[in-house]
């Protein structure tokens, strides 16, 4: 809990600063944040101030902590990493994509019904930053953030938890050497137009188009990813 005697404007500013830093950072594949020592130095704040800001993001479901392991982006997917690792060992890229095609269009359908103007603004930010990405890793970070923002916009805690669990398994599954040159998406990369169509449908409350757009997008991703294996 934040100290009531502390300056609320300062604390809010640190939270905003932390959000911005995390949005621009290349995190580890498992979403692990840098150690508190590094984060506090990067932000120019004390570790106590950093922990208060982390508490705010954790309460919002933006990140979660595992004692002895670290702090991770997203909501806690399962009770232990062993659960994720076990699922990943039993799964494969084709299963992951089929699961996404089953789940995410329905999440998108729900988001089209409940998304707020703030949600749409966040989605638009993700679209813009993904186009500006100078590496595949940065593009994929913004792509993941867009899909999670859509899940958050569903305003359904269970759906968001299921999305985060699937996303954690997706990161843990071995995909092989799927990326080749160029080092970043080309300007006509299929996802740019597909993402735009999805967000447009959500913004216009077009439930059917939002779900259909997400399904078509993921089917294209599935075909391109699996063809490269």
């Amino acid at each position: 809990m934040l100290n009531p005697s502390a300056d609320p404007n300062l604390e809010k500013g640190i939270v905003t600063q932390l959000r911005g830093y995390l949005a621009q950072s290349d995190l580890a594949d498992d979403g692990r944040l840098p150690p508190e020592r590094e984060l506090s130095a990067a932000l120019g704040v004390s570790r106590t101030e950093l922990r208060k800001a982390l508490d705010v993001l954790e309460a919002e479901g933006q990140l979660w902590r595992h004692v002895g392991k670290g702090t991770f982006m997203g909501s806690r997917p399962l009770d232990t990493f062993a659960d994720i690792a076990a699922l990943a060992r039993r799964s494969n890229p084709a299963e992951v994509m089929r699961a996404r095609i089953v789940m995410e269009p329905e999440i998108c359908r729900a988001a089209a019904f409940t998304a707020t103007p703030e949600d749409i603004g966040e989605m638009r930010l993700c679209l813009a930053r993904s186009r500006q990405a100078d590496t595949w890793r940065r593009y994929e970070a913004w792509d993941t953030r867009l899909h999670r923002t859509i899940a958050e916009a569903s305003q359904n805690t269970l759906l968001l938890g299921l999305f985060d669990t699937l996303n954690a398994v997706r990161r843990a599954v071995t995909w092989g050497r799927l990326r080749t040159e160029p080092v970043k998406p080309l300007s006509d990369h299929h996802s740019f137009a597909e993402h735009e169509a999805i967000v447009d449908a959500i913004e216009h409350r077009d439930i059917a188009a939002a779900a259909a757009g997400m399904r078509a997008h993921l089917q294209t991703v599935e075909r391109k990813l699996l063809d490269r294996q």
Side-chain angles (χ1 to χ4, degrees), residues 125-168:
L125 173 65
C126 293
L127 294 177
R129 294 297 173 82
S130 66
R131 285 184 179 274
Q132 297 165 2
D134 55 3
T135 65
W136 275 108
R137 184 167 182 172
R138 287 187 182 276
Y139 164 78
E140 287 163 356
W142 284 106
D143 174 81
T144 297
R145 180 166 168 180
L146 172 63
H147 283 260
R148 191 176 194 277
T149 299
I150 292 171
E152 290 171 358
S154 73
Q155 299 184 28
N156 186 307
T157 303
L158 181 55
L159 284 178
L160 181 59
L162 290 171
F163 172 88
D164 282 333
T165 298
L166 177 56
N167 200 43

Side-chain angles (χ1 to χ4, degrees), residues 93 174-180 224-229:
T174 300
W175 289 80
R177 188 176 179 80
L178 297 178
R179 290 294 182 205
T180 57
K224 290 182 176 293
L225 288 179
L226 299 183
D227 283 351
R228 285 202 297 265
Q229 282 198 295

